[in-house]
Amino acid sequence: MNHKTTHRMLPRRLPAAVALALLSMSAIAHAQQDDTMQKVEITGSSIKRAVADQALPVTVVKAEDWLAQGMVTIDDILMSMSTASDFVPNTTSGVGNSANMRGIGTSRTLVLLDGKRLNDVPINPNSIPVSALDRTEVLRDGASSIYGSDAIGGVINFVTKKSYTGASLTLKGSAPGKSGGGESTGLSFIAGKGNLGSDGWNVYVTGDINNQNALPQSARPNITSDARLASAGFPPPKLTKGGNSIPANVTLADGSTKVGNVTIGGNPYYASGCLAPYSSPGLNNTCTASYTANSLTLTKESQEASLFTKGTLMLGEDHKLSASLLYSSIYNRPVKNPTFGINPSIANFPALTIGPNSKYYPGKGIVPAMPGITNQKLTLAWSLYGDLGPTVLDYKTETTRLTVDDEGHLGAWDYKASFWSALYSTRTSFRSGFVNSYGLLAGVANGQLNPFGLQDQVGKDYLSSISTNGQTANAGLTRMNGVDLSGSRELMTLPGGAVSLAVGGSVYHDFSYNSIPATVALSGGQTGNTAATNQSASRNVAAVYAELDFPITKALDVDLAVRTDRYSDFGATTNPKASFRYKPAEWVMLRGSAGTGFRAPTLAERYFGATDGPTGITSTTYNDPVLCPGGSPGATTGGTALPGYNPSTVCNARQPINTGANPQVGPERSKTFNLGVVFTPTRSLLVSLDYFRVQLRDSIGQLTQPTLFQNPAYANLFVRDPKGNLLYIDDRLTNMGGVRTDGIDLTTTYNFPKTRWGQFGVQLDGTYVHEFETQVDRNGAWISSVNKFGPLDANVMNFRWKYGASAKWISANGNWTSTVNQQYKQSFEDRNSGTAYHVIDQYTVYNWSMQYNGYKQWSLMVGVNNVFDRDPPAANYRGEGYASGEASPVGRTYRARATFNF
């Protein structure tokens, strides 16, 4: 399939989506119809108005509608927001998943809890318990003048319940149709007392507990079978050259490749078949590492617990005081495909060598002899996977957030004053598969470790003595304290209504701390002793904003807003925004907005890990384009080391690289534009089309590693010594050229007339991306990355067309609710860093749920995710063999939930 074929698939898919959309009911339609007459404050504005009169494209979905579709966590909700965001799952760490609206980066999507920003770190959204939610509000327009000029891609606001009376307990769980793992269990509860109207107070507490079991790779062998890997462009092991394996491949330590006429290198066990299942014969008499499915996982194990409580007290008729507290603890244990090899992430780390004094030296009696090898010092390319197993890290994150709000009326003003404090901490520790790298060097040198096979008892004991399992690899903390104050009032009357003014301001302190203990994590499963690193940084941010709403006529409303932010380390920036709503008839409305944005680099982007020199090694192996020429650009095979250079370090090897922070990185600036039309020819039908355009300049980013090696234009980033040796690749964060994207958001809903069988309705949310281009260098060429990966973000997939469609039925008595949901993502050009060309197939899954509320105290739900048991498409972009970031490997999954109301 080629790129043109991918583009032609759109017309065939759109009718199918529309057809399904003519069979369901929309939650959005309810939100926009039921709340039309009630004026509320909606994300994107500080002026209360009816939901249907919004000039900005805001999608409001009630929490009960998410629950009716079987949503269990905030992750589930984000995954279903086809129009609102590109979900970026984090499958390999515990940092947390994140929303990436418009595909321009997670740091440019502002996530709020009750209208207040969460920590300026990639916080795990599952820290918010679903049981506390009242609704979600998604502003698809960027650069909000109310919450922050850094909301370039858009805003997602999770709004909690104002009050709750009663109590309920919910049990939930899921089980894949195929055995082997991937099950989940959980419970949630909520209890509250007091009535704000009659008692003048209310307090409630709610919590979620979720447990997700890991899914071993051995339980889904078809996903990473040899045939599937070959279809994605992975070469068969026998066509792969060496690298780190068990038994170790060897080269001469002095860099020479021949002794007389004998070519030196390869593996002493090549002739005997290497060591299954850990390796198999490859090219040039080498052994090639093989993945062992028995201990690797396709999904990570996790435990999540969150608690939220809110208390509200009425102070007379005009004032209300409330306080809320959120606490969450999230634990993740990913076991992904291991990084074979002992290449550590320490700059200029000594090579792993073996000398003739070791009893394991080839030809000394235990390990077979190799032609031409007598008593020379040898460099080893060794993997300890057979002895240590896969590398496993434990990730734990904790979030604590306190908010105090005072709101009410003072004269003609509606006011709200808030104090909030948030603490976010992370800890990464070694779980298994890690040893001290310096101890490893010594163990091979003194003959206690065998690099050519599994260890005997002496070797096992020695590995145990240098294990770092259980030690802390990294710890971090972010603390934010802030105060918000806002007020609004009516000023005068125009033909269309009252002119409204809103003003506000905020001040917050942002502090971050990061600690790397003396024993640090390295990518190959080993650790090395370095000096401890403790870094901290902070900034103060103050902002003021004003908003004026002019209802010029009953049909035309214009809103003007401006915001000024002052950063203690960047100075001030002022960003205006204008929007309008024009409704010439009851059945049609035009809306639009334009504004500018500003995003300062985060503390981590500017300060943490900033150094002139290497900060680690590349994530995979590459040929040094100068010292190992002859291979395809960006390839790991086909190159030949120049005379005098060690092939094990310049060919098919991980190269030193600096991917850290940069104190010189500056802010980003943006322009956003939206123009839309909303048709409501009947009360039952809604169709909206919104054109969006985002232009980002001075974007903060770094080149992907394949781009560095594939494009000779970046040879200047390869920092070398006077002899040509590679010191490191300079890939620090920096201000690039820019990003620009535009497209259309489509929402259509239709509610069929009620019958004695109930009511049916439809919803379709889709996004068509017309253009997504990246400018790597200022004034450089613009590079398109629609339906293919771009040169900056290694894993973001900007689909030309994707959508979510649903069909919903509610019985006549309201006791039964059933929803069928379809999620579609178009085919996508794979990373294809080698010579093979591969296209990731389109991915379509169907989910179904049924809910019954007919019992007095019970509510029951059952459902099926991935009804047709669709496997994730084959892919090579993450090196895992399948599209791990965009499709679930679990397969068909059965879900159930039961709620008892006390």
Side-chain angles (χ1 to χ4, degrees):
M1 184 181 294
N2 58 32
H3 213 42
K4 292 182 179 179
T5 304
T6 300
H7 187 70
R8 288 198 301 267
M9 291 181 66
L10 172 60
R12 296 200 300 269
R13 276 287 169 186
L14 185 55
V18 173
L20 180 61
L22 293 175
L23 297 173
S24 67
M25 177 173 288
S26 167
I28 299 176
H30 282 298
Q32 292 189 337
Q33 292 170 9
D34 297 345
D35 294 341
T36 299
M37 302 306 296
Q38 179 185 2
K39 288 192 174 185
V40 294
E41 185 177 319
I42 297 295
T43 300
S45 174
S46 284
I47 297 174
K48 293 183 178 182
R49 68 193 80 202
V51 176
D53 289 336
Q54 284 290 106
L56 303 177
V58 179
T59 300
V60 182
V61 182
K62 292 289 188 179
E64 54 262 31
D65 292 305
W66 291 127
L67 294 175
Q69 297 179 47
M71 305 299 174
V72 176
T73 65
I74 299 296
D75 276 0
D76 298 331
I77 293 176
L78 288 174
M79 283 285 281
S80 67
M81 292 182 180
S82 298
T83 303
S85 64
D86 294 315
F87 184 60
V88 182
N90 194 321
T91 60
T92 58
S93 78
V95 173
N97 306 313
S98 48
N100 181 11
M101 296 179 68
R102 305 304 181 203
I104 60 174
T106 59
S107 60
R108 303 174 188 104
T109 297
L110 183 58
V111 180
L112 307 174
L113 179 62
D114 288 330
K116 300 174 184 63
R117 65 172 57 228
L118 293 174
N119 297 346
D120 287 349
V121 295
I123 187 172
N124 193 321
N126 285 345
S127 61
I128 306 170
V130 172
S131 55
L133 283 187
D134 175 72
R135 64 187 186 273
T136 59
E137 299 176 353
V138 179
L139 171 64
R140 302 191 302 273
D141 179 31
S144 171
S145 57
I146 306 302
Y147 308 105
S149 301
D150 54 348
I152 295 172
V155 180
I156 298 178
N157 188 13
F158 295 101
V159 183
T160 61
K161 294 176 172 63
K162 290 185 177 180
S163 63
Y164 183 86
T165 302
S168 69
L169 176 67
T170 299
L171 300 178
K172 49 196 173 182
S174 69
K178 300 174 184 176
S179 62
E183 304 86 359
S184 70
T185 57
L187 66 85
S188 61
F189 69 90
I190 184 169
K193 190 173 183 179
N195 185 287
L196 289 177
S198 58
D199 302 326
W201 62 273
N202 178 265
V203 60
Y204 72 87
V205 59
T206 180
D208 283 1
I209 298 176
N210 298 295
N211 179 75
Q212 176 70 53
N213 294 340
L215 176 68
Q217 188 171 313
S218 58
R220 302 290 187 272
N222 56 303
I223 291 179
T224 54
S225 65
D226 290 343
R228 288 251 301 177
L229 292 176
S231 72
F234 288 87
K238 64 181 180 179
L239 299 180
T240 305
K241 177 185 175 183
N244 300 292
S245 79
I246 175 173
N249 295 307
V250 302
T251 55
L252 295 179
D254 62 6
S256 59
T257 58
K258 287 188 176 183
V259 175
N261 294 324
V262 179
T263 300
I264 305 300
N267 199 290
Y269 286 96
Y270 172 81
S272 60
C274 300
L275 182 61
Y278 307 112
S279 63
S280 58
L283 293 177
N284 301 337
N285 297 321
T286 62
C287 293
T288 299
S290 303
Y291 294 124
T292 303
N294 293 331
S295 57
L296 305 182
T297 62
L298 297 173
T299 63
K300 59 188 177 184
E301 173 188 352
S302 66
Q303 288 87 45
E304 301 167 348
S306 56
L307 185 72
F308 180 83
T309 182
K310 177 184 283 188
T312 305
L313 177 65
M314 298 299 300
L315 302 175
E317 295 183 357
D318 294 330
H319 303 281
K320 181 171 64 176
L321 181 67
S322 62
S324 64
L325 176 66
L326 168 67
Y327 173 77
S328 74
S329 175
I330 298 177
Y331 162 82
N332 287 303
R333 181 184 294 170
V335 185
K336 304 303 291 184
N337 291 339
T339 302
F340 287 104
I342 63 163
N343 291 330
S345 298
I346 295 180
N348 303 317
F349 192 81
L352 181 64
T353 60
I354 189 171
N357 293 329
S358 171
K359 63 181 180 181
Y360 295 113
Y361 191 88
K364 294 293 184 179
I366 298 178
V367 177
M370 297 180 66
I373 290 181
T374 53
N375 292 316
Q376 305 98 325
K377 188 176 183 180
L378 304 177
T379 298
L380 303 171
W382 182 27
S383 166
L384 276 79
Y385 182 65
D387 294 305
L388 299 178
T391 56
V392 184
L393 292 166
D394 282 343
Y395 297 86
K396 184 177 181 180
T397 62
E398 289 184 290
T399 301
T400 304
R401 184 180 181 88
L402 172 67
T403 302
V404 179
D405 294 318
D406 177 26
E407 58 184 306
H409 309 285
L410 286 175
W413 287 87
D414 292 333
Y415 76 91
K416 187 172 185 178
S418 303
F419 165 78
W420 52 275
S421 178
L423 184 67
Y424 176 77
S425 64
T426 63
R427 182 179 183 272
T428 304
S429 57
F430 305 119
R431 173 71 182 184
S432 63
F434 292 90
V435 294
N436 182 279
S437 291
Y438 293 98
L440 195 68
L441 295 175
V444 172
N446 62 30
Q448 292 181 272
L449 293 178
N450 175 16
F452 299 107
L454 300 178
Q455 304 304 311
D456 58 16
Q457 192 59 47
V458 172
K460 292 178 180 178
D461 292 342
Y462 184 81
L463 287 177
S464 179
S465 71
I466 62 172
S467 171
T468 59
N469 295 333
Q471 299 183 27
T472 297
N474 182 275
L477 180 146
T478 297
R479 182 177 63 244
M480 295 179 68
N481 298 314
V483 176
D484 300 337
L485 179 63
S486 63
S488 63
R489 62 165 295 171
E490 296 180 352
L491 297 179
M492 55 183 291
T493 302
L494 293 178
V499 176
S500 298
L501 167 69
V503 294
S506 65
V507 178
Y508 70 90
H509 177 73
D510 187 359
F511 170 83
S512 289
Y513 171 82
N514 189 62
S515 172
I516 300 178
T519 304
V520 297
L522 302 181
S523 58
Q526 290 74 45
T527 61
N529 291 330
T530 64
T533 302
N534 296 312
Q535 297 176 310
S536 64
S538 65
R539 66 162 55 116
N540 295 316
V541 182
V544 293
Y545 65 86
E547 179 183 7
L548 272 171
D549 181 65
F550 297 93
I552 298 174
T553 68
K554 293 292 185 182
L556 177 62
D557 186 280
V558 176
D559 190 280
L560 302 175
V562 63
R563 180 184 180 95
T564 295
D565 297 87
R566 176 175 290 278
Y567 295 80
S568 59
D569 50 351
F570 281 103
T573 174
T574 299
N575 295 277
K577 184 172 184 176
S579 61
F580 78 92
R581 176 192 63 84
Y582 178 59
K583 196 171 184 179
E586 285 298 319
W587 60 272
V588 62
M589 180 178 71
L590 299 176
R591 61 189 180 191
S593 65
T596 64
F598 175 97
R599 187 183 80 87
T602 65
L603 297 177
E605 289 173 333
R606 188 171 172 88
Y607 303 112
F608 288 170
T611 183
D612 292 324
T615 59
I617 55 175
T618 55
S619 59
T620 189
T621 58
Y622 294 97
N623 294 335
D624 185 314
V626 172
L627 304 182
C628 186
S632 300
T636 61
T637 59
T640 302
L642 295 179
Y645 294 95
N646 191 336
S648 66
T649 58
V650 300
C651 298
N652 190 23
R654 295 188 170 188
Q655 307 297 337
I657 191 170
N658 185 340
T659 58
N662 186 352
Q664 304 305 316
V665 70
E668 303 172 335
R669 292 171 173 82
S670 69
K671 295 179 180 179
T672 58
F673 174 79
N674 285 265
L675 183 63
V677 58
V678 181
F679 298 101
T680 53
T682 69
R683 184 175 176 83
S684 299
L685 175 63
L686 179 146
V687 179
S688 69
L689 294 167
D690 287 281
Y691 171 81
F692 65 87
R693 182 168 183 82
V694 181
Q695 294 177 289
L696 182 69
R697 61 186 175 93
D698 299 327
S699 59
I700 299 171
Q702 55 194 151
L703 293 166
T704 62
Q705 292 176 14
T707 300
L708 289 166
F709 285 90
Q710 292 169 10
N711 193 336
Y714 302 115
N716 63 307
L717 299 179
F718 287 68
V719 181
R720 302 179 183 276
D721 66 13
K723 296 183 179 180
N725 295 295
L726 179 63
L727 298 177
Y728 65 95
I729 305 166
D730 189 357
D731 194 26
R732 289 175 293 180
L733 289 167
T734 187
N735 290 103
M736 318 296 286
V739 175
R740 61 189 185 191
T741 180
D742 75 308
I744 295 176
D745 290 331
L746 166 66
T747 296
T748 179
T749 69
Y750 181 71
N751 294 327
F752 288 90
K754 291 182 180 180
T755 69
R756 65 190 185 94
W757 303 105
Q759 188 172 27
F760 294 84
V762 294
Q763 176 180 339
L764 171 69
D765 283 318
T767 298
Y768 178 87
V769 177
H770 168 254
E771 175 187 81
F772 194 101
E773 294 183 316
T774 301
Q775 186 185 50
V776 177
D777 305 304
R778 292 185 179 92
N779 302 318
W782 289 92
I783 303 170
S784 175
S785 58
V786 177
N787 273 357
K788 61 182 179 180
F789 290 103
L792 298 183
D793 198 311
N795 295 318
V796 170
M797 302 175 79
N798 297 302
F799 295 96
R800 172 81 69 185
W801 169 240
K802 69 174 186 176
Y803 66 81
S806 64
K808 186 175 182 180
W809 166 75
I810 302 177
S811 65
N813 59 11
N815 291 335
W816 293 91
T817 301
S818 182
T819 302
V820 176
N821 176 268
Q822 180 197 44
Q823 297 291 326
Y824 170 77
K825 297 172 182 177
Q826 199 172 358
S827 57
F828 200 90
E829 185 178 329
D830 214 339
R831 174 68 65 194
N832 300 317
S833 59
T835 57
Y837 179 79
H838 177 253
V839 171
I840 303 170
D841 291 338
Q842 62 85 18
Y843 186 64
T844 306
V845 294
Y846 293 86
N847 307 313
W848 169 82
S849 65
M850 175 76 77
Q851 183 168 308
Y852 180 68
N853 299 312
Y855 296 117
K856 182 178 181 181
Q857 292 178 290
W858 286 94
S859 176
L860 305 174
M861 190 279 295
V862 295
V864 182
N865 281 0
N866 195 355
V867 173
F868 298 106
D869 200 22
R870 175 79 185 273
D871 282 339
N876 62 52
Y877 71 97
R878 286 196 176 196
E880 298 177 11
Y882 69 102
S884 61
E886 294 293 335
S888 171
V890 178
R892 182 187 296 120
T893 303
Y894 301 96
R895 298 176 288 112
R897 185 181 70 242
T899 299
F900 181 77
N901 298 300
F902 295 92

